[in-house]
Amino acid sequence: MSESPSSMVDRVVMILGVFERSSGPLNLGQISARSGLPRSSVHRILQQLVNARLLSRYDNEYRLGLRMFEIGSLVVHRTRMSDAARPLLQELCAATGHVVHLAVLNQQDVVYLERIGGAFASTLPSRVGGRLPAHCTAVGKAILAYSPRDMVDEYLWSGLCRRTDASIATPQSLEGALTRIRSTGYATDIGEAVSTVSCVAAPILVMDQAIAGISVCGPKERIRVDELKFRVKWIAAEISRRLMATSTPRSRPRPLITSVPLSGHMASAAVADTGR
């Protein structure tokens, strides 16, 4: 008789909890005794967890796997990034009156970590935890432009779906757009994800590569790219600076963007050209 999904989840949580309370590797008998689960069930679940890299096995002993640490590190990283970005995103939203996003790249999509805005936000398809095709969004293109070359190549030939008639549809068009973004330091989306919406975005860079991006979005007729690009680039640069300031000295990357004041006469925030 097969276990129900909820029962299986409960058992996995109980087994992982055993490792949480242990300082070293454990064998099958120890895990069964400490979890209170039958050896046969524990053995089957352990094998599945090893296959998923959530646990690792050495001879007859098990310990937490590398994937557990990868997931934990990712959660810490994203939490730290949201904490550093949120006050600045709120400032940007207040200054522009538009919806502001913080997003990261995950495979072919951008995933939104933060969305700050007023009534207009309800008309957008973006939501915290939601996804959109990266090439259809300004923030996705800003991240792609400063991503590793092999990642960009994979994306270019993955098949580009369209959300509107204005969406980029060919690898050649996307490559040209990414080249322009690298030369200017910002990206735009003029009705490419939603036909009535435009966005301006900039990457958050660490060691010459994008780890995330921010965007300002609003009704197409109200978005003034020439005015917004400096604000967006400056905020992205300031988020990067704050992240670097909270890193350990050993891992702290060098600044890649020159900051300019948010108010007054804004000069261009120069983003380092990667030459790719």
Side-chain angles (χ1 to χ4, degrees), residues 149-215:
R149 185 67 242 183
D150 58 345
M151 184 184 299
V152 175
D153 288 340
E154 182 179 353
Y155 194 102
L156 286 171
W157 300 105
S158 64
L160 305 180
C161 63
R162 276 185 148 170
R163 285 185 58 89
T164 73
D165 290 341
S167 300
I168 291 175
T170 67
Q172 294 77 14
S173 296
L174 181 55
E175 183 70 87
L178 299 183
T179 299
R180 289 191 295 274
I181 294 165
R182 286 191 286 268
S183 69
T184 62
Y186 71 93
T188 60
D189 153 16
I190 311 298
E192 296 169 46
V194 179
S195 60
T196 58
V197 174
S198 292
C199 304
V200 181
I204 298 172
L205 300 177
V206 169
M207 298 187 71
D208 211 20
Q209 290 186 4
I211 60 170
I214 64 169
S215 66

Side-chain angles (χ1 to χ4, degrees), residues 17-207:
V18 170
F19 287 92
E20 184 181 10
R21 298 185 296 271
S22 174
S23 59
L26 301 168
N27 60 36
L28 173 60
Q30 291 171 317
I31 298 168
S32 176
R34 296 183 188 185
S35 67
L37 298 173
R39 286 176 64 101
S40 59
S41 294
V42 172
H43 183 266
R44 182 170 61 255
I45 294 172
L46 287 175
Q47 187 57 52
Q48 293 172 343
L49 292 174
V50 169
N51 291 341
R53 294 174 50 239
L54 295 172
L55 295 179
S56 58
R57 178 178 178 178
Y58 299 91
D59 294 329
N60 293 319
E61 293 185 323
Y62 299 84
R63 66 180 73 215
L64 293 176
L66 180 61
R67 190 174 182 188
M68 291 290 292
F69 294 101
E70 292 171 345
I71 293 171
S73 298
L74 184 60
V75 171
V76 171
H77 172 70
R78 290 187 177 179
T79 299
R80 187 167 65 89
M81 181 158 50
S82 290
D83 288 346
R86 195 174 296 113
L88 291 164
L89 298 179
Q90 292 170 340
E91 179 182 345
L92 184 58
C93 177
T96 63
H98 297 307
V99 178
V100 177
H101 297 107
L102 170 69
V104 294
L105 187 66
N106 183 263
Q107 296 181 336
Q108 309 304 310
D109 300 326
V110 286
V111 178
Y112 293 94
L113 305 185
E114 298 282 344
R115 187 179 78 160
I116 299 173
F120 184 72
S122 63
T123 68
L124 297 175
S126 60
R127 59 178 177 81
V128 174
R131 293 169 172 265
L132 284 174
H135 67 282
C136 295
T137 68
V139 69
K141 288 185 288 185
I143 298 172
L144 277 172
Y146 291 89
S147 292
R149 185 67 242 183
D150 58 345
M151 184 184 299
V152 175
D153 288 340
E154 182 179 353
Y155 194 102
L156 286 171
W157 300 105
S158 64
L160 305 180
C161 63
R162 276 185 148 170
R163 285 185 58 89
T164 73
D165 290 341
S167 300
I168 291 175
T170 67
Q172 294 77 14
S173 296
L174 181 55
E175 183 70 87
L178 299 183
T179 299
R180 289 191 295 274
I181 294 165
R182 286 191 286 268
S183 69
T184 62
Y186 71 93
T188 60
D189 153 16
I190 311 298
E192 296 169 46
V194 179
S195 60
T196 58
V197 174
S198 292
C199 304
V200 181
I204 298 172
L205 300 177
V206 169
M207 298 187 71

